[in-house]
Each structure stands twice: as structure tokens, then as C-alpha cells.
Amino acid sequence: MNVLSDHFAEFREGFLGTVELTGLSGLLALVLGILMAAFRVSPVPALRIFGTAWVTLLRNTPLVLLFLAVTLGLPALGLKGWDSFWLAVLTLGCYTSAFICEAVRSGINSVPVGQAEAARSIGMTFNQTLGQVVLPQATRTAVPPIGSLMIALTKNTAIASGFNVTQLGSVQKSLNADTGYNIYVIFLWIAVCYIIITLAISGLFRLLENRLAVAR
Amino acid sequence: MSEESVAGQATGAAVPLVVLKSVNKHFGALHVLQDIDLTIARGEVVVVIGPSGSGKSTLCRTINRLETTDSGTITIDGRPLPQEGKELARLRADVGMVFQSFNLFAHKTVLENVTLGQVKVRRTDRREAEEKARGLLDRVGVGAQADKYPAQLSGGQQQRVAIARALAMDPKVMLFDEPTSALDPEMINEVLEVMRQLAQDGMTMVVVTHEMGFARSAANRVVFMADGRIVEEARPDQFFSNPRSDRAKDFLSKILHH
């Protein structure tokens, strides 16, 4: 009568699906977010415009709408053969990258201008200045909000269950029509699974913060 | 006596290293640099003084294009300053800069501060760069602090590290933008002593400062700025004992007797 032990395989599959989806789209979001932040502070106007447009577009689109645009729009534009998991990674990654970009940019703005001026005055290029001097110092400020964004991302993955991706949200869908388990108990176990993931992310980021605090 | 002959007299053979020709710059409505003409010869030590807001820091910062200009030309060693980009970065490596607020890289140790430019910009081998960095740190008297972070050093020590960081690039000219203005009085001299030594070793220097003692003892030429213009240029002994312009007389009377 215990839904968790009766359907442990489904729960495990959903749990791992959510972890995988969160991990991969989080990674994509970090890479794109840092890149877009670099674009937004770049001396090249075209890159600045691109970065700003990226953030404005993705930050202001409801995630469900973005999912629809990607899962229906991209195949219609001729991008076929992507399975729904990778489309979800793409959607969540791009969406979250807009927020990461702004967190990174706030970190960049927290670094005194003199640091970049000193780097430029010894002949470092824009990329070197950003990579060697500014970003390492921006990390400390950017890490706490990025932690929050990763937790938000974890919960946003639930939307992917509506688009044929196996994760925690789909466990509920497959079980609720089934043999009269108490629906609240199913929800409770799903919530516990999410809490495990989000608390792990919190812990990871607290660890990161502590390490960065010692680093100087 | 014309200004050119003053410069020539001070250095013997006047080979121009930094040349500013009718440089203008505005900050909004404020005309901070007004038709600045300035020629700095190789090996010359030029001290720029003047009341605050006179544009002397801005002038210093235009020489390595940390500040852009609206019109006029600036050449360093015969080459005009290029637009922002790789070319400018290469040129900046040849122009050392020391800031009022030190601006040491806060996340790097003292030694890393002095090796970073060598390794990343000059592509020097790391071990070679460290050896050179330790030599320079010893020269400015902070060799024992090599493994500390900037925040663990006194202001005077930090500024001397900043000088070592600039010297590590083997610059053709060194710019000092009020290098002692953020220092406690007892630390000013240790920094000035390093600068005096540099001047004696023949480094070409542009020094924006309020340290009149340094101007007297180390400068070949004093440039007096007020309201965005160069009002007077003279040898330090002439300038301090017998300033020609009323503006300079007024300025000196305020800072020298009170």
C-alpha cells in the first residue's frame, strides 16, 4: 500500500530524470550566461546589443510559452531528430542563462573599475582582463544569486513533464490514474524528491561560498 | 626662454618619446583638456602639478588612453595611439601606470601581481617571470611580502608593489597618477624614494603629484596646469622660486606658506 516502495522504479527514474535535466540545463545556462554577461560588458556594440536582446527576450517570455516555441517551432523550422529531453535542456538552459547573465553582470559591476584599468594598463586585452582579473573577483558576489537560480531551475524542470520528458512530474501523471493511491501521498513523495535535490544544491553553493571566502 | 628649449636643456639630447598635440577633451559641458601641447623627451622626468580639477589626472590617463580624447593626437615613440583593441593593448604594455588607489589585483598574491602581465602579455616563461618579479620586489623593498595578498600590506607597500608590477613590463615610460595621495604621511617617503631612484636610473616619467619636494628634487621640468590648460612649464628651481604666471603664483602661495 506504500506508493513509494510499490513504484520505486518509477520514482527513481523520475528522480534521476530531474537530476539529469537540472544538471545539463544548469551547465548550459552557466556557459551561456557567462558568455552573455561578457557580451553585455564588451567594447563591441554589436555584442552588447546581442547580449541585451538575449536577456530581454528570454527573461520576459513565460517558460511554458518558450517550451512550446522550442518543441513545436524548431522542428517546424527544419531542426528535426532532437528528442524531447534535449529540447528541454535547450529550453531550460537558454531561459535560465538570461538570469545567470544578470547575476554574473552584477558580480562584474561589484568589482572596482580600477581593477580592470590596472589590467588594461599592463597591456591585457579585453578577454584577458575579464578572464584573469574581473570574473574571478566577480564570482564571490555572483555565487549566491546563481545558487538561487539553480534551485529555481530545478523546480522549473517540472514543466518539462508536459513535453514528454521523464522526470518527477511525470511520476505523478503515470500514477494518479492508477490503483487508488492517495494522491496527496504521491505529491508528498515527489516534493521530498525535489527537496533532496534543492537542499543538495544549497549545500553545494554554501560550500562554494565558504571556499571563495577563504581564497583571499 | 621658450618651453621647448627648457625641455631640451633639461635632457641634453631631446628625443621626443611622448608627444601630445592640441589635445582636447570634454566631460559633458566641462572642457577638461584645452588644446594641450606637451612633448616629453626620452629619459625626462616631468611633474604635473596644479589645483584639483585642473585636468592633470585626466591628462595623465589620456597618455595610455584610459581616457579617450575628443580631438588632437598623442604619439608614443613615434606611433599614434590606436583605437581600443589588440594594437592598443600592445602599446599599453610599454606604458607603465601607477594609480592613486594602487589597484593591485586583490585576488592574486603580490608575486602573482608582478608576474601576471609578464606571463599573459609578454608570454614570458613562468619561472623566468617569477625570478624577475622577485628581483623587482627586492628593488622596491617588499621582497619579503611576495606571498601575501595586497590587503595584508600597508598602503606604502602596496604602492611599491604596483610600481614593481608596472616595471615588470619593461615600460618605455611610466605614468604616475597621484601615487602618494592615498597614503598616510609616514608612508609617502618610501614610495617617493623608489620613484626618485627610478628617475636617477633614467626612466622617462610623467608624475602627477602634490609632492612639491619630489618635484624640486627629481623633476627635469614642472608643468603647471589650471582649468584644463597648461599655464606654465619651467625647470623646477625656476618655477618654485620665480613663477611667471599669476595663476601659478597664487597656487604656490597657497600650498607653500600656511
Side-chain angles (χ1 to χ4, degrees):
Chain A
M1 204 49 211
N2 185 332
V3 68
L4 184 65
S5 50
D6 291 353
H7 294 274
F8 191 75
E10 275 108 319
F11 272 98
R12 193 184 56 194
E13 201 185 350
F15 181 82
L16 292 179
T18 295
V19 169
E20 225 174 317
L21 192 55
T22 306
L24 288 169
S25 45
L27 202 67
L28 179 65
L30 270 179
V31 172
L32 281 177
I34 293 170
L35 188 69
M36 289 304 146
F39 279 11
R40 291 203 68 175
V41 298
S42 148
V44 183
L47 293 181
R48 279 204 304 272
I49 291 169
F50 183 84
T52 310
W54 179 271
V55 169
T56 307
L57 190 73
L58 289 165
R59 189 167 63 165
N60 296 310
T61 310
L63 184 53
V64 179
L65 219 61
L66 201 62
F67 258 105
L68 281 170
V70 169
T71 50
L72 302 177
L74 284 188
L77 287 172
L79 189 89
K80 294 186 191 352
W82 282 50
D83 71 6
S84 46
F85 176 80
W86 287 105
L87 285 174
V89 168
L90 188 69
T91 311
L92 286 162
C94 289
Y95 177 78
T96 310
S97 76
F99 297 90
I100 302 260
C101 166
E102 293 302 90
V104 171
R105 207 162 60 90
S106 79
I108 289 173
N109 288 341
S110 76
V111 179
V113 183
Q115 294 286 311
E117 284 186 348
R120 285 155 69 204
S121 74
I122 57 170
M124 295 179 98
T125 60
F126 172 78
N127 288 342
Q128 288 174 326
T129 301
L130 198 64
Q132 299 289 324
V133 175
V134 177
L135 278 182
Q137 296 187 66
T139 316
R140 236 164 32 131
T141 316
V143 159
I146 289 177
S148 297
L149 290 172
M150 286 301 162
I151 288 171
L153 168 65
T154 310
K155 297 182 290 178
N156 282 340
T157 56
I159 293 179
S161 69
F163 296 86
N164 289 325
V165 180
T166 306
Q167 41 89 329
L168 284 169
S170 34
V171 176
Q172 174 264 327
K173 274 203 293 189
S174 66
L175 288 182
N176 77 7
D178 219 7
T179 55
Y181 287 113
N182 185 340
I183 188 93
Y184 296 109
V185 176
I186 297 175
F187 278 136
L188 182 73
W189 285 120
I190 290 175
V192 167
C193 290
Y194 273 111
I195 283 175
I196 291 170
I197 299 171
T198 52
L199 284 185
I201 292 175
S202 297
L204 194 73
F205 274 81
R206 183 161 311 154
L207 215 68
L208 206 60
E209 267 179 65
N210 290 342
R211 283 192 57 160
L212 288 171
V214 197
R216 66 176 213 179
Chain B
M1 191 188 299
S2 78
E3 280 146 11
E4 282 76 13
S5 71
V6 171
Q9 208 173 336
T11 54
V15 186
L17 183 59
V18 180
V19 181
L20 288 84
K21 274 209 185 85
S22 48
V23 170
N24 279 281
K25 180 176 178 68
H26 296 78
F27 281 132
L30 184 68
H31 198 169
V32 276
L33 295 179
Q34 305 182 24
D35 287 318
I36 301 289
D37 289 305
L38 183 65
T39 303
I40 294 151
R42 205 177 290 276
E44 195 182 12
V45 177
V46 173
V47 168
V48 184
I49 61 176
S52 48
S54 59
K56 52 193 195 306
S57 272
T58 308
L59 173 70
C60 187
R61 290 162 57 86
T62 57
I63 296 176
N64 68 351
R65 212 173 180 278
L66 281 182
E67 297 285 354
T68 55
T69 56
D70 298 338
S71 65
T73 57
I74 300 173
T75 57
I76 292 176
D77 212 1
R79 288 197 299 163
L81 282 184
Q83 292 296 302
E84 198 73 44
K86 286 220 162 57
E87 186 76 17
L88 180 64
R90 254 196 297 281
L91 194 135
R92 275 189 184 130
D94 292 338
V95 180
M97 176 108 189
V98 175
F99 300 87
Q100 179 176 352
S101 48
F102 328 135
N103 294 345
L104 291 179
F105 305 132
H107 63 307
K108 299 216 174 270
T109 65
V110 164
L111 189 69
E112 288 166 344
N113 264 276
V114 186
T115 53
L116 189 68
Q118 297 182 68
V119 173
K120 296 292 168 189
V121 178
R122 296 286 193 221
R123 305 280 167 203
T124 313
D125 173 67
R126 183 170 297 278
R127 194 178 307 160
E128 208 175 302
E130 278 186 12
E131 204 170 303
K132 183 174 183 179
R134 288 193 192 278
L136 284 167
L137 289 171
D138 283 338
R139 181 169 156 197
V140 299
V142 287
Q145 322 292 334
D147 298 318
K148 290 188 181 164
Y149 283 91
Q152 296 170 290
L153 268 54
S154 74
Q157 290 172 327
Q158 289 191 51
Q159 195 60 297
R160 286 182 282 152
V161 173
I163 293 173
R165 175 176 68 182
L167 288 176
M169 308 304 291
D170 297 318
K172 293 174 180 166
V173 51
M174 289 274 283
L175 310 174
F176 292 84
D177 184 9
E178 303 203 23
T180 57
S181 296
L183 294 175
D184 291 341
E186 75 257 41
M187 292 169 184
I188 290 176
N189 274 329
E190 61 188 51
V191 172
L192 291 181
E193 197 40 56
V194 169
M195 291 167 59
R196 214 167 266 136
Q197 197 59 51
L198 261 183
Q200 270 170 23
D201 294 347
M203 175 62 75
T204 309
M205 292 162 68
V206 179
V207 185
V208 174
T209 187
H210 296 291
E211 294 300 324
M212 299 304 146
F214 178 81
R216 267 182 209 277
S217 64
N220 301 121
R221 179 162 46 133
V222 171
V223 170
F224 176 71
M225 280 187 81
D227 306 319
R229 292 178 189 282
I230 293 179
V231 177
E232 190 166 341
E233 289 183 73
R235 285 211 316 265
D237 52 339
Q238 282 178 335
F239 178 78
F240 287 110
S241 59
N242 191 18
R244 281 165 299 169
S245 61
D246 291 340
R247 197 72 183 76
K249 281 176 193 161
D250 181 51
F251 176 75
L252 288 174
S253 73
K254 278 175 187 155
I255 58 161
L256 294 179
H257 321 285
H258 59 89

